[in-house]
Amino acid sequence: MDFSLSEEQQMIRDVVRAFALKELEPIAGRIDRDKDIPRDLLRTMGEMGLMGLTVPREYGGAGCDTISYVLVLEEIARFCASTAVTLEAHNSLGLGHVFEKGSAKLRRTVVPKLASGEWLGAWALTESGGGSDAAAMRTTAVRDGDHYVINGSKCFITGGSIADTVVVMAKTDPAKGAKGISAILVEKGTPGMTYGKDEEKLGVRGTHTSELFFEDCRVPITNRLDREGNGFIGAMQILDRGRTALGAVAVGIARGALEESVEYAKKREAFGKPIGAFQGLQWMLADAATQVDAARLMVLRAAAMESAGVRCSKEASMAKLFASETAMKITTDAVQIHGGYGYTTDYPVERYFRDAKLCEIGEGTSQIQKMIIARHLLDMR
């Protein structure tokens, strides 16, 4: 068993670490306050290859493995979870589904624009009446000649209002339940697709989390991904990689909170000595460091399995579950370590605390992850 990174993986991590320190740390607070990520920042990441990390070079991507991808997400999330989540939703979901399940034509025409960062991709599964019960969706796509006519709505769509493409899950045969759901690519500007409000959120406020509405939205049948009725199965496969990736985001948030706490504990004095000299605080930091390393290893295991072409539903859910709950615990402790200052915007730990909560909810809640893990243990898939 080899825990070392390849030279290429180390190089990618180091380059992105330097980029995040220089470009993201100074503006992360502003991104949170302004509730927007500068589009030129996304373009820069596109030029670096970060918007199509695991897409082969022949389709305009960087051709990296999944381990490199999760390392990148951790480094970005260390300073700005909003940017990391935008990157994750684009790569894993919006772009990933098109590349994995799209036709040869879509791969040739759409994937290069997404992989270069020229276009931003979104992914629409969740509905207001469904939540964790994603198969209970009501959005429909009815055939009309060589088109689908989509009607319905989606909510909590990362990047929805600013995306250039959206992969929409809709029922093409409602009588078949989950086996009657298809995935259809809808491009920005398609008549019948409109945008609702951007949600006011607790954390990751720089992302545009939007409602989408479809009213007699006509989309060519050639925009369907995979076979008709295979959309839900494909979505669950795509969510595996999304969960591994969101686990990496959680590791980055947790690491950021830990590193900020260590620095604060060295400088802040109480009773005549640095607070880091007190055993109670030392134990908090030691526990946090151990948990960050454990979470990172779980994420890397799932990423290695994915890179090897091995299905990793259980491992992805374990990584996402443990990493997200670790992030919530460590950011909570970070606020406590900073005391009154931790409750102010003078230090970034309050933002990390708010951002961490999304990781326990997005890509399936912690409770859903436990259900998936248990079903694998009981062979009830």
Side-chain angles (χ1 to χ4, degrees):
M1 185 176 293
D2 185 3
F3 289 95
S4 62
L5 301 176
S6 69
E7 288 186 10
E8 181 181 7
Q9 290 163 347
Q10 292 179 59
M11 181 194 70
I12 292 169
R13 180 200 61 193
D14 293 346
V15 166
V16 175
R17 180 173 293 177
F19 165 78
L21 185 62
K22 180 182 178 182
E23 304 294 340
L24 283 176
E25 184 184 29
I27 66 170
R30 191 182 80 205
I31 287 173
D32 181 71
R33 290 190 300 273
D34 293 349
K35 305 171 192 173
D36 187 52
I37 300 170
R39 198 61 191 252
D40 61 349
L41 179 65
L42 296 178
R43 281 193 290 270
T44 299
M45 292 195 295
E47 292 167 0
M48 294 174 65
L50 305 187
M51 301 299 282
L53 270 163
T54 60
V55 172
R57 294 182 186 277
E58 63 190 283
Y59 294 103
C64 296
D65 62 5
T66 311
I67 291 174
S68 299
Y69 174 42
V70 298
L71 292 172
V72 166
L73 289 175
E74 178 185 331
E75 296 302 328
I76 298 293
R78 160 62 181 92
F79 293 109
C80 183
S82 290
T83 302
V85 168
T86 297
L87 196 64
E88 181 271 328
H90 169 83
N91 273 282
S92 295
L93 307 179
L95 167 57
H97 204 155
V98 180
F99 178 73
E100 292 294 334
K101 304 296 182 180
S103 65
K105 179 182 177 183
L106 290 176
R107 283 188 169 200
R108 288 195 312 270
T109 59
V110 175
V111 168
K113 292 180 180 180
L114 291 168
S116 68
E118 178 184 349
W119 282 4
L120 184 69
W123 198 74
L125 174 66
T126 304
E127 297 185 6
S128 59
S132 295
D133 185 8
M137 68 180 65
R138 296 180 179 180
T139 298
T140 60
V142 178
R143 279 198 184 220
D144 181 22
D146 57 357
H147 284 72
Y148 285 111
V149 180
I150 305 175
N151 282 282
S153 64
K154 298 291 180 178
C155 65
F156 303 136
I157 309 306
T158 302
S161 63
I162 61 171
D164 298 282
T165 63
V166 184
V167 177
V168 179
M169 265 55 70
K171 288 189 173 179
T172 46
D173 190 345
K176 291 184 178 179
K179 293 182 179 179
I181 294 171
S182 299
I184 302 167
L185 184 71
V186 183
E187 293 187 19
K188 186 176 184 177
T190 301
M193 180 173 71
T194 57
Y195 309 102
K197 64 176 182 176
D198 279 354
E199 300 291 346
E200 290 285 343
K201 305 189 302 294
L202 172 71
V204 289
R205 293 166 66 85
T207 63
H208 293 258
T209 305
S210 316
E211 294 178 298
L212 299 178
F213 298 98
F214 303 90
E215 184 175 358
D216 295 333
C217 179
R218 294 179 63 84
V219 181
I221 285 176
T222 53
N223 276 27
R224 188 186 68 232
L225 310 182
D226 208 348
R227 297 192 303 274
E228 188 170 278
N230 270 23
F232 191 75
I233 295 171
M236 295 304 103
Q237 294 170 349
I238 294 300
L239 275 176
D240 285 348
R241 68 192 311 175
R243 286 164 180 156
T244 301
L246 195 58
V249 173
V251 172
I253 295 170
R255 192 186 109 208
L258 171 60
E259 291 177 355
E260 295 290 340
S261 297
V262 168
E263 288 305 308
Y264 186 79
K266 291 177 180 178
K267 297 174 182 177
R268 176 76 163 94
E269 291 193 358
F271 305 102
K273 55 185 175 181
I275 62 173
F278 294 98
Q279 187 182 67
L281 191 142
Q282 290 176 354
W283 284 14
M284 291 172 73
L285 295 175
D287 284 345
T290 303
Q291 290 158 3
V292 168
D293 270 12
R296 181 184 295 111
L297 287 170
M298 293 184 77
V299 168
L300 288 172
R301 177 182 67 167
M305 291 176 69
E306 186 180 316
S307 286
V310 178
R311 187 76 190 272
C312 57
S313 296
K314 174 168 67 72
E315 291 78 11
S317 287
M318 285 179 165
K320 194 263 188 189
L321 172 67
F322 186 78
S324 62
E325 296 195 344
T326 291
M328 198 70 248
K329 173 66 166 62
I330 291 174
T331 56
T332 301
D333 285 349
V335 172
Q336 192 71 17
I337 289 168
H338 282 71
Y341 290 112
Y343 205 66
T344 72
T345 57
D346 292 339
Y347 290 83
V349 290
E350 62 84 26
R351 171 163 46 86
Y352 293 155
F353 171 78
R354 292 185 286 107
D355 290 342
K357 189 60 190 175
L358 172 74
C359 298
E360 293 186 313
I361 298 171
E363 320 286 47
T365 63
S366 292
Q367 289 70 33
I368 290 295
Q369 306 315 310
K370 291 177 182 180
M371 288 173 59
I372 293 169
I373 295 163
R375 285 172 180 170
H376 277 269
L377 295 175
L378 299 168
D379 199 21
M380 295 174 62
R381 289 162 284 169

